[in-house]
């Protein structure tokens, strides 16, 4: 392995290093090219600036020449046959060299040649030899001067000349380049001269001093003249005469900007090279490590593949016991994953617990089983298992999903865990749990894949037994209620059908009756509101358990609906079944304990009997349910035996329901008023409005018959709005005519209060008839007061804001009547008639009434006694603080006309 490894590490490293070096060399070449380009551009710019500087020097020389050539006195002196050399010495010799840096000044005549010459401010004894030009050159200079008009421009023509003359000090020949300006001498007035043509020439040598000035003005270190054909420096400017001949090279040797850039880039480039080499080394090392990791991963995958094959091969037959199979494969799983513990767990049928089927601890060479984890103790862990296919944790003691499991893990010194779900038929059947005592053990993806694959193989092994369990569970789900465990409606129908079939097919014509008792737990919604949904469910479960205990051998108890049970009764005759029903109802009315409170059940019960009522199972259930509906309307709560005429009553109910839709429009509804009196003075304080329906064919229909139908169909909203408007209109008249403090009470239903517009409807009716809010009282049932919905709360809040009073009717008939008043403030309690029937003769009843009155006053509510039928009841209520009395002792409900006469008479109750 070592030679291969070294080869693998060196070859890619060498290749990468070569690539980097070639890349850096290329970058350096690009930088060199860029530097050369910069140098060329800088040289071109310097040439241009030097050309401009030479042009400026020539213009300066020409301007200086113009000052002397265009001068009247100079013109007269030059035209004199005998020039005044003293004047020339005074006006020309002393200034042109010192003030204008003119090295050579010549006064020329085209025919006579040089008439007067100055060499660096000194009169030359040999003027003809001072500036030695060929005749052709002199003619060229003079032609240029003649083409120039001194009156039109400030400078004359200028050019470059190359001269070779002897050095005054060494005597050796010396080459020089001069800036030359020549101009014809003219009058200042611009008049055309009439004399001979004379010319003035100034020349300035490109000497070292001038070159230094030019170098300084152009930020150059040095300028030099080169008269050879080969440049001595990389940057040079060719100096040409007017014919384009190169007279010499002006050279400079400033530092190249490109070289400076390269010098600054060199250390950075070396640093970059070192960094890239280091990076290449790291990349090579990373590649090597990755290759080694891939090799190890391939080995693990190969090992895991073999282990999965062994898991499949370990299943010897379909009949093999599951426990034996799991015990055999656990060590293999632990070895393959390299963990301390591996275990297999199974969920209970209700998914409320996990049971350890088998486990192995490699550290202690122990096997274990039987451990149990409960959902109620470890809800976070169970939730985490349900949310995903697997659960992995490298720090389980700090994992928020495993907070409740900390003690279990700490006790076993678990530092990392990996769980995979065993799915059978799409349901979570159990888990495989792999646990490690290695700190921060990393779970690789192949580990996750392996344990999930192992879970799938175990799921296949479990499938045969799970299929049987699933079939049983499916049967239970289809035929049994999951909450109570009782048979459901389908199973009840099946059992009842089988019993009837046995009797119908019996050769002896076994006609022993079969009773179908249907019972309903009333007020379940109120219980749910008061105690919570869980308590209501618990009550259903307790009632089902009680029924099962009361059932005889061969009988069946089933949950028929949400709050409804059915019980098949077997006996010798119908009388025995009826007696049995009496006994069962008495036993079922015994109180149950809910939240450490004694709760009396209110049940409605109906009974139908085979074969008297029907020989069909469905019909028997329907008849029992119809009898149950009739039982609900029985004030005493007695059970009801099915009778054939009940079908007629049911049809009549539907007929009434249809006619009720037109009752308001046809004017069939009316209001009766039952007055109530104050127990302080015995006088009338108000009245309760009660709706009546006079059907054109059926006659008067009691409110107990049509009000529930109106609530079921939603017609109660229209009827209630009509009742409210009519009662308010009547109250306004009676307040104006007879009793200014008269208060009208109107009953409202749950359907009305759950209408978001109800408070607005009431406010509109009050405003239309101009009745103050405190003259209206709305009565709700105790069951409705138990409900607590946002819409009801909003309506009640708006009604109270208008001054409208809220009264609880039939107080005391609901569940735990006293506890809800703290969260449902009311202005009046109306004690139900059943509590006053035995007052004052019954000590218990009297104490209960006194307690209700005291409680109502404590809560700031007035108290009204309903159903007062004798003066003793009224006086008892008055003596113990009651506020109002209502009942037949004062008056029956009266039509509007009779109520008006009652108010006119205004009788006083003698208390």
């Amino acid at each position: 392995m070592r030679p291969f490894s070294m080869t693998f590490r060196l070859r890619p490293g060498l290749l990468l290093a070569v690539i980097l070096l070639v890349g850096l060399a290329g970058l350096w070449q690009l930088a060199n090219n860029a530097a050369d380009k910069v140098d060329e551009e800088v040289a071109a710019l310097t040439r241009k600036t030097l050309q401009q500087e030479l042009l400026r020097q020539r213009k300066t020389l020409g301007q200086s020449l113009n000052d002397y050539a265009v001068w009247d006195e100079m013109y007269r002196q030059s035209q004199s046959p005998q020039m005044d050399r003293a004047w020339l010495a005074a006006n020309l010799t002393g200034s042109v060299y010192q003030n204008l840096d003119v090295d050579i000044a010549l006064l020329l005549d085209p025919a006579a040649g040089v008439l007067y010459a100055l060499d660096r401010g000194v009169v030359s004894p040999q003027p003809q030899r001072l500036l030695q030009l060929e005749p052709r050159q002199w003619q060229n200079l003079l032609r240029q001067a003649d083409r120039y008009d001194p009156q039109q421009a400030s400078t004359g023509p200028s050019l470059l000349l190359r001269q070779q003359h002897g050095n005054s000090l060494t005597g050796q020949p010396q080459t020089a380049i001069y800036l030359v300006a020549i101009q014809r001498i003219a009058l200042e007035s611009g008049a055309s001269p009439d004399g001979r043509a004379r010319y003035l020439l100034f020349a300035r040598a490109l000497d070292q001093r001038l070159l230094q000035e030019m170098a300084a003005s152009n930020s150059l270190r040095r300028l030099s003249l080169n008269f050879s054909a080969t440049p001595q420096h990389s940057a040079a400017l060719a100096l040409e005469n007017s014919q384009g001949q190169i007279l010499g090279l002006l050279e400079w040797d400033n530092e190249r900007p490109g070289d400076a850039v390269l010098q600054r880039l060199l250390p950075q480039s070396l640093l970059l090279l070192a960094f890239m080499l280091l990076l290449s080394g790291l990349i090579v090392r990373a590649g090597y490590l990755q290759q080694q990791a891939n090799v190890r991963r391939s080995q693990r995958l190969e090992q895991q593949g073999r282990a999965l094959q062994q898991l499949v091969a370990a299943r010897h037959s379909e009949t093999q016991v599951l426990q034996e199979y799991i015990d055999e494969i656990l060590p293999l799983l632990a070895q393959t994953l390299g963990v301390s513990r591996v275990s297999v767990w199974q969920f209970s049928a209700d998914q409320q617990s996990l049971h350890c089927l088998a486990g192995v601890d490699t550290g202690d060479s122990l096997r274990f089983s039987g451990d149990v984890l409960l959902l109620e103790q470890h809800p976070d862990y169970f939730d985490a298992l349900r949310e995903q296919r697997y659960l992995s944790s490298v720090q389980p003691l700090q994992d928020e999903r495993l907070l409740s499991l900390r003690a279990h893990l700490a006790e076993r010194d678990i530092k990392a865990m990996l769980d995979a779900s065993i799915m059978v038929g799409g349901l979570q059947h159990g888990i495989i749990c792999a646990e490690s005592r290695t700190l921060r053990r990393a779970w690789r993806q192949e580990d996750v894949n392996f344990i999930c694959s192992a879970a799938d193989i175990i799921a296949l092994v479990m499938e045969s037994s799970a299929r049987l369990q699933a079939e049983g569970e499916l049967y239970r789900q289809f035929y049994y209620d999951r909450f109570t465990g009782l048979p459901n409606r389908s199973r009840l129908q099946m059992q009842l059908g089988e019993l009837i079939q046995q009797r119908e097919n019996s050769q002896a014509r076994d006609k022993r009756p079969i009773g179908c008792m249907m019972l309903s737990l009333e007020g379940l919604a109120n219980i749910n509101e008061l105690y919570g949904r869980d308590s209501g469910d618990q009550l259903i479960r307790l009632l089902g358990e009680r029924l099962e205990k009361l059932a005889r051998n061969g009988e069946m108890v089933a949950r028929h609906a949400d709050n409804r049970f059915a019980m098949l009764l077997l006996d010798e005759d119908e009388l025995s079944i009826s007696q049995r029903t009496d006994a069962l109802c008495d036993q079922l009315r015994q109180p149950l304990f809910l939240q450490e409170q004694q709760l009396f059940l209110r049940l409605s019960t109906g009974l139908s009997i085979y074969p008297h009522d029907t020989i069909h199972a469905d019909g028997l259930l329907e008849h029992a349910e119809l009898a149950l509906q009739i039982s609900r309307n029985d004030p005493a709560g007695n059970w009801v035996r099915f009778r054939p005429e009940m079908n007629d009553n049911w049809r009549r109910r539907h007929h009434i329901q249809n006619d009720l839709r037109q009752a308001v429009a046809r004017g069939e509804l009316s209001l009766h008023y039952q007055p109530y009196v104050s127990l302080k003075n015995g006088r009338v304080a108000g009245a309760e409005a009660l709706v009546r329906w006079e059907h054109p064919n059926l006659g008067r229909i009691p409110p107990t018959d049509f009000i529930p139908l109106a609530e079921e169909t939603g017609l109660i909203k229209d009827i209630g709005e009509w009742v409210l408007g009519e009662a308010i209109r009547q109250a306004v008249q009676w307040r104006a005519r007879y009793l200014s403090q008269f208060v009208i009470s109107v009953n409202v239903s749950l359907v009305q209060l759950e209408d978001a517009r109800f408070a607005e409807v009431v406010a509109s009716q009050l405003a239309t008839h101009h009745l103050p809010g405190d003259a209206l009282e709305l009565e709700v049932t105790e069951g409705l007061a138990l409900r607590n919905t946002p819409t009801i709360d909003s309506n009640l809040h708006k009604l109270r804001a208008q001054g409208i009073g809220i009264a609880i009717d039939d107080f005391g008939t609901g569940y735990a009547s006293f506890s809800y008043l703290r969260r449902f403030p009311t202005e009046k309690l109306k004690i139900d008639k059943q509590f006053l029937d035995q007052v004052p003769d019954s000590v218990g009843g009297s104490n209960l009434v006194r307690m209700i009155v005291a409680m109502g006053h404590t809560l700031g509510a007035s108290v009204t006694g309903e159903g007062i039928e004798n003066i003793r009841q009224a006086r008892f209520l008055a003596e113990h603080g009651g506020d109002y009395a209502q009942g037949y002792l004062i008056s029956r409900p009266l039509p509007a006309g009779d109520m008006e006469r009652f108010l006119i008479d205004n009788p006083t109750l003698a208390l």
Side-chain angles (χ1 to χ4, degrees):
M1 286 296 293
R2 182 176 300 276
F4 173 77
S5 300
M6 291 301 295
T7 301
F8 177 82
R9 296 179 65 181
L10 288 177
R11 285 182 179 176
L14 181 60
L15 178 61
L16 185 60
V18 170
I19 291 173
L20 290 175
L21 290 174
V22 170
L24 288 175
L27 290 176
W28 183 257
Q29 183 61 40
L30 291 176
N32 267 321
N33 292 338
D36 291 342
K37 185 67 175 178
V38 170
D39 290 340
E40 291 176 2
E41 291 178 354
V42 171
L45 180 61
T46 303
R47 291 188 190 96
K48 186 174 181 179
T49 55
L50 287 176
Q51 286 175 345
Q52 292 175 350
E53 178 65 19
L54 284 173
L55 181 60
R56 186 184 67 82
Q57 292 290 343
R58 288 164 63 182
K59 286 183 178 181
T60 300
L61 184 63
Q63 289 173 354
S64 300
L65 175 64
N66 185 268
D67 290 341
Y68 284 89
V70 183
W71 185 12
D72 292 345
E73 187 64 25
M74 178 62 72
Y75 181 78
R76 286 192 298 268
Q77 291 295 330
S78 65
Q79 292 296 320
S80 175
Q82 297 295 325
M83 290 186 299
D84 189 348
R85 292 183 178 273
W87 184 89
L88 289 174
N91 292 280
L92 184 63
T93 306
S95 61
V96 294
Y97 178 69
Q98 295 176 357
N99 298 335
L100 303 179
D101 292 329
V102 174
D103 294 323
I104 297 174
L106 300 178
L107 181 62
L108 301 174
D109 185 280
V114 180
L115 302 178
Y116 183 80
L118 292 176
D119 183 7
R120 292 174 176 79
V122 178
V123 178
S124 175
Q126 297 177 334
Q128 299 292 343
R129 301 184 63 182
L130 186 59
L131 189 63
Q132 299 179 5
L133 297 177
E134 296 177 358
R136 182 176 56 82
Q137 291 178 319
W138 281 115
Q139 292 173 3
N140 184 38
L141 283 175
L142 295 177
R143 280 196 300 270
Q144 290 186 28
D146 289 338
R147 287 197 297 267
Y148 165 71
D149 185 358
Q151 304 300 328
Q152 299 297 323
S154 60
T155 60
S158 62
L159 67 160
L160 295 178
L161 290 177
R162 176 174 172 175
Q163 284 288 299
Q164 187 170 7
H165 56 84
N167 191 310
S168 59
L169 297 178
T170 63
Q172 297 295 324
Q174 183 174 353
T175 302
I177 295 177
Y178 289 91
L179 304 177
V180 177
I182 187 169
Q183 187 174 337
R184 185 176 178 177
I185 300 173
L187 295 171
E188 295 177 30
S189 62
S192 299
D194 53 1
R196 65 185 63 182
R198 297 288 172 87
Y199 299 87
L200 192 61
L201 181 147
F202 283 177
R204 184 178 182 185
L206 278 177
D207 56 9
Q208 191 62 36
R209 183 168 58 86
L210 181 56
L211 293 177
Q212 289 178 356
E213 290 179 3
M214 293 174 63
S217 62
N218 288 276
S219 301
L220 299 175
R221 287 194 306 176
R222 187 180 65 83
L223 276 175
S224 62
L225 279 174
N226 180 9
F227 298 102
S228 66
T230 303
Q232 297 179 0
H233 297 281
S234 59
L237 172 65
L239 301 178
E240 299 176 350
N241 60 14
S242 59
Q243 285 78 35
Q245 296 175 343
I246 297 177
L247 306 178
L249 298 175
L250 187 61
E251 297 180 340
W252 61 93
D253 58 352
N254 257 24
E255 291 184 0
R256 297 173 60 190
D259 291 343
V261 172
L262 291 177
Q263 290 175 2
R264 287 194 295 270
L265 286 178
L266 181 60
Q268 299 176 9
S269 300
L270 293 176
L271 182 62
L272 177 62
L273 175 61
F275 173 76
M276 296 300 288
L277 290 174
L278 176 62
L279 181 62
S280 64
L282 293 176
I283 293 174
V284 170
R285 177 173 175 79
Y288 171 74
L289 294 177
Q290 182 62 42
Q291 187 221 17
Q292 294 301 311
N294 291 337
V295 170
R296 290 192 295 270
R297 183 172 181 271
S298 298
Q299 293 172 349
R300 286 195 301 271
L301 290 175
E302 183 179 355
Q303 179 186 9
Q304 291 172 0
R306 290 195 300 269
L308 291 176
Q309 293 175 356
Q310 294 176 29
L311 289 181
V312 175
R315 179 64 170 166
H316 304 304
S317 66
E318 294 292 331
T319 60
Q320 183 182 11
V321 178
L322 177 63
Q323 189 69 42
E324 294 178 356
Y325 174 76
I326 294 176
D327 287 339
E328 183 177 348
I329 66 172
L330 285 178
L332 176 62
L333 294 175
Q335 179 183 1
T336 304
L337 286 172
V339 295
S340 306
R341 291 165 57 93
V342 176
S343 52
V344 176
W345 300 68
Q346 188 173 19
F347 279 102
S348 61
D350 58 2
Q351 299 286 307
Q352 300 298 303
S353 59
L354 269 174
H355 300 263
C356 180
L357 299 180
V360 61
D361 191 322
T362 59
D364 299 329
S365 299
L366 294 177
R367 292 182 178 270
F368 56 90
S369 64
D371 293 347
V372 178
L373 297 176
L374 299 178
L375 170 62
E376 59 184 11
Q377 296 177 356
H378 309 286
D380 48 359
Y381 178 54
F382 277 67
D383 289 342
L385 291 176
R386 293 191 186 100
E387 289 175 359
Q388 50 195 5
R389 177 71 169 87
Y390 65 91
L391 187 156
S392 64
S393 179
V394 296
Q395 290 181 299
L397 296 181
Q398 285 76 42
D399 198 323
E400 295 183 355
R401 302 170 296 176
L402 308 173
L403 294 180
S404 64
L405 210 62
R406 282 182 177 178
H408 176 87
L409 298 173
E411 180 182 356
R412 293 157 178 80
D413 192 28
I414 303 304
K415 300 296 192 303
M417 63 181 296
L418 175 62
D419 294 353
S421 296
I422 301 173
M423 308 297 292
V424 177
L427 301 176
Q428 200 172 33
H429 197 73
I431 63 168
I432 299 180
C433 182
E435 298 167 322
S436 175
R437 294 191 176 96
T438 302
L439 186 63
R440 300 197 181 195
R441 158 67 187 267
W443 300 110
R444 307 175 187 88
Q445 186 60 44
E446 55 265 27
D447 296 335
V448 174
N449 295 340
F450 172 74
I451 197 169
C452 289
S453 300
D456 292 338
I457 294 174
I458 295 176
L460 293 175
V461 176
M462 291 181 171
E463 188 174 8
S464 57
S465 58
R467 186 184 302 111
L468 295 177
Q469 294 179 3
E471 291 173 354
E473 180 64 23
L474 182 62
Y475 181 85
R476 285 190 295 272
Q477 289 181 3
F478 191 77
Y479 289 112
Y480 286 84
D481 177 59
R482 297 185 65 180
F483 179 69
T484 62
L486 295 174
N488 58 18
R489 181 188 180 99
S490 298
R491 183 68 184 91
L492 175 68
Q493 287 178 307
M494 181 187 296
Q495 179 70 11
L496 185 56
E498 291 175 356
L499 290 174
I500 292 176
Q501 188 73 20
Q502 290 173 4
R503 280 161 173 71
E504 291 294 321
N505 295 336
S506 173
Q507 294 180 355
R509 304 297 295 173
D510 183 5
K511 293 299 181 183
R512 285 178 301 169
I514 303 173
C516 180
M517 186 180 73
M518 191 81 65
L519 58 92
S520 173
L521 176 61
E522 304 299 339
L524 182 61
N526 295 339
I527 295 173
N528 289 337
E529 289 287 343
L530 185 61
Y531 296 100
R533 181 79 183 185
D534 292 341
S535 297
D537 292 343
Q538 184 181 359
L539 189 62
I540 291 290
R541 189 183 293 111
L542 292 175
L543 180 58
E545 292 174 356
R546 177 175 285 185
L547 282 169
E548 277 195 300
K549 291 178 181 178
L550 296 175
R552 296 175 179 173
N553 187 30
E555 297 180 340
M556 174 180 281
V557 176
R559 189 179 184 188
H560 193 258
D562 186 35
N563 63 332
R564 197 172 302 171
F565 293 87
M567 186 173 182
L568 300 184
L569 304 177
L570 305 179
D571 218 317
E572 295 300 323
D573 51 42
E574 292 187 11
L575 178 60
S576 299
I577 289 180
S578 298
Q579 291 173 346
R580 178 90 187 286
T581 303
D582 277 332
L584 288 172
C585 288
D586 290 340
Q587 291 172 304
L588 291 173
R589 289 193 186 98
Q590 297 300 314
L592 289 172
F593 286 91
L594 184 65
Q595 295 185 3
E596 300 181 355
Q597 296 188 31
Q598 201 175 45
L599 191 64
F600 289 88
L601 303 183
R602 194 171 66 198
L603 302 173
S604 299
T605 308
L607 175 69
S608 62
I609 300 178
Y610 161 88
H612 182 275
D613 297 328
T614 181
I615 62 171
H616 302 291
D618 292 342
L620 201 62
L621 290 172
E622 291 175 2
H623 292 341
E625 192 164 358
L626 183 56
L628 169 66
Q629 297 296 334
I630 304 301
S631 171
R632 285 178 167 170
N633 299 325
D634 188 299
N638 296 317
W639 67 275
V640 174
R641 170 78 161 85
F642 172 78
R643 299 184 303 278
E645 59 269 21
M646 288 181 180
N647 284 324
D648 296 332
N649 293 337
W650 194 254
R651 285 190 291 271
R652 177 178 179 272
R653 171 185 172 89
H654 286 282
H655 178 61
I656 291 174
Q657 181 175 322
N658 292 331
D659 289 347
L660 184 60
R661 299 181 184 277
Q662 306 298 326
V664 176
R666 293 194 296 236
E668 297 173 3
L669 298 182
S670 63
L671 291 184
H672 284 200
Y673 302 88
Q674 186 176 28
Y676 60 88
V677 300
S678 170
L679 292 177
K680 301 295 188 286
N681 53 27
R683 294 187 175 278
V684 176
E688 179 181 357
L690 302 169
V691 66
R692 297 291 185 262
W693 182 15
E694 195 69 31
H695 194 278
N697 300 322
L698 302 176
R700 176 166 293 182
I701 300 177
T704 53
D705 286 351
F706 70 84
I707 292 298
L709 291 178
E711 292 179 338
E712 291 176 10
T713 59
L715 294 173
I716 193 65
K717 293 182 181 180
D718 295 334
I719 295 174
E721 188 170 348
W722 177 83
V723 169
L724 188 65
E726 183 65 16
I728 290 175
R729 183 189 64 80
Q730 196 68 67
V732 170
Q733 296 179 6
W734 292 337
R735 283 171 66 92
R737 296 175 183 174
Y738 311 113
L739 192 61
S740 61
Q741 299 301 315
F742 183 85
V743 176
I744 188 72
S745 297
V746 178
N747 291 280
V748 295
S749 71
L750 171 64
V751 178
Q752 290 175 275
L753 276 177
E754 285 188 334
D755 183 359
R757 294 180 56 255
F758 179 68
E760 299 175 5
V761 171
V762 176
S764 176
Q765 293 281 11
L766 292 175
T768 300
H769 299 288
H770 305 289
L771 181 71
D774 57 4
L776 176 63
E777 189 174 74
L778 299 180
E779 296 187 12
V780 300
T781 63
E782 186 177 10
L784 188 148
L786 285 169
R787 298 184 66 85
N788 183 23
T789 67
T791 304
I792 292 177
D793 289 346
S794 175
N795 275 325
L796 292 177
H797 177 75
K798 293 176 182 178
L799 292 170
R800 287 196 177 94
Q802 300 175 48
I804 299 170
I806 306 297
I808 297 180
D809 196 13
D810 302 330
F811 182 79
T813 60
Y815 289 95
S817 306
F818 307 112
S819 61
Y820 65 81
L821 289 178
R822 291 183 179 177
R823 66 176 180 84
F824 189 88
T826 183
E827 284 71 37
K828 180 183 287 187
L829 301 180
K830 300 186 74 173
I831 305 176
D832 191 77
K833 177 180 181 298
Q834 63 176 317
F835 294 105
L836 293 166
D837 283 344
Q838 299 178 354
V839 169
D841 298 331
S842 170
V843 176
S846 300
N847 289 337
L848 182 58
V849 171
R850 281 196 293 268
M851 183 184 69
I852 294 176
V853 172
M855 182 195 64
H857 289 167
T858 300
L859 297 173
S862 61
V863 179
T864 298
E866 291 185 299
I868 301 296
E869 297 181 349
N870 59 67
I871 192 65
R872 296 176 64 237
Q873 292 174 325
R875 288 173 179 167
F876 174 84
L877 194 60
E879 289 173 2
H880 292 89
D883 300 286
Y884 302 101
Q886 182 180 358
Y888 286 178
L889 176 64
I890 295 94
S891 174
R892 291 177 177 272
L894 301 172
D898 295 343
M899 181 63 192
E900 188 166 354
R901 285 188 289 275
F902 183 86
L903 292 175
I904 294 173
D905 296 340
N906 195 12
T908 302
L909 183 63
L911 296 173

